[in-house]
Amino acid sequence: MLCHRHGHRLAKRSLGSTCRGLHLNHKVYPGPATTKQEPPLLILHSLFGSASNFRGPAQQLSKQREVVLADLRNHGASPWDDDVSFSAAAEDVAELIDSLGVPSVSLVGHSLGGKVAMLVALRRPALVERLCVVDIAPVQYDMAGNRGIIEALL
């Protein structure tokens, strides 16, 4: 089931702010019927990535449990918005989890996805049963040295 939801917003529970999250493009890889007691595994990609980066691992992992891959805002087939903050991205992910109809997920975030995952876990801990953060730390990074690279990419 591939869910494309472009260009509109949804008002739902907030991460403690008045912002409204975007409907994220996502793909669900159903697991075996016997694993419905386990929370789904939601995987978030890195900067300039997309859900498709984890298609192979998702296909393999779905043999054991349900897996959800999501495109973060301004990535892949998800809507684009001027708000590129971690808070906005975390709001989007929280609303995606709410829309899945499950009480919680096991959340994996790679790099940028890890930053977003940590913020979801901090602000909405009931939504995150387990958290795995890869290739990023819970610190503020000095991006001054990368400014030229980022400007060239934009």
Side-chain angles (χ1 to χ4, degrees):
M1 171 173 101
L2 187 59
C3 305
H4 292 281
R5 298 178 180 144
H6 299 280
H8 61 283
R9 296 181 180 263
L10 169 71
K12 252 190 171 182
R13 289 184 277 174
S14 173
L15 281 169
S17 69
T18 58
C19 68
R20 299 179 316 174
L22 300 176
H23 289 275
L24 298 179
N25 178 66
H26 63 282
K27 183 168 183 179
V28 176
Y29 293 80
T34 56
T35 64
K36 294 301 176 193
Q37 305 303 339
E38 285 286 320
L41 178 64
L42 173 57
I43 303 175
L44 304 176
H45 60 79
S46 62
L47 184 64
F48 305 122
S50 69
S52 64
N53 294 133
F54 292 99
R55 189 176 26 233
Q59 291 169 340
Q60 291 300 311
L61 290 167
S62 68
K63 294 175 183 176
Q64 300 170 351
R65 66 181 315 153
E66 184 174 291
V67 179
V68 180
L69 301 181
D71 286 329
L72 295 171
R73 66 174 39 219
N74 301 344
H75 290 80
S78 281
W80 290 64
D81 192 89
D82 290 338
D83 187 350
V84 296
S85 67
F86 289 122
S87 290
E91 177 71 26
D92 299 341
V93 172
E95 289 188 7
L96 171 60
I97 296 168
D98 285 339
S99 76
L100 295 173
V102 296
S104 64
V105 297
S106 294
L107 187 55
V108 174
H110 175 238
S111 193
L112 169 67
K115 284 284 197 183
V116 173
M118 286 186 277
L119 195 52
V120 173
L122 281 170
R123 293 188 174 173
R124 296 280 298 277
L127 294 181
V128 182
E129 185 163 317
R130 294 183 190 106
L131 176 64
C132 177
V133 177
V134 182
D135 281 345
I136 199 94
V139 298
Q140 184 170 348
Y141 289 92
D142 176 19
M143 297 303 291
N146 297 320
R147 180 131 344 261
I149 296 169
I150 293 170
E151 288 175 4
L153 291 169
L154 298 174

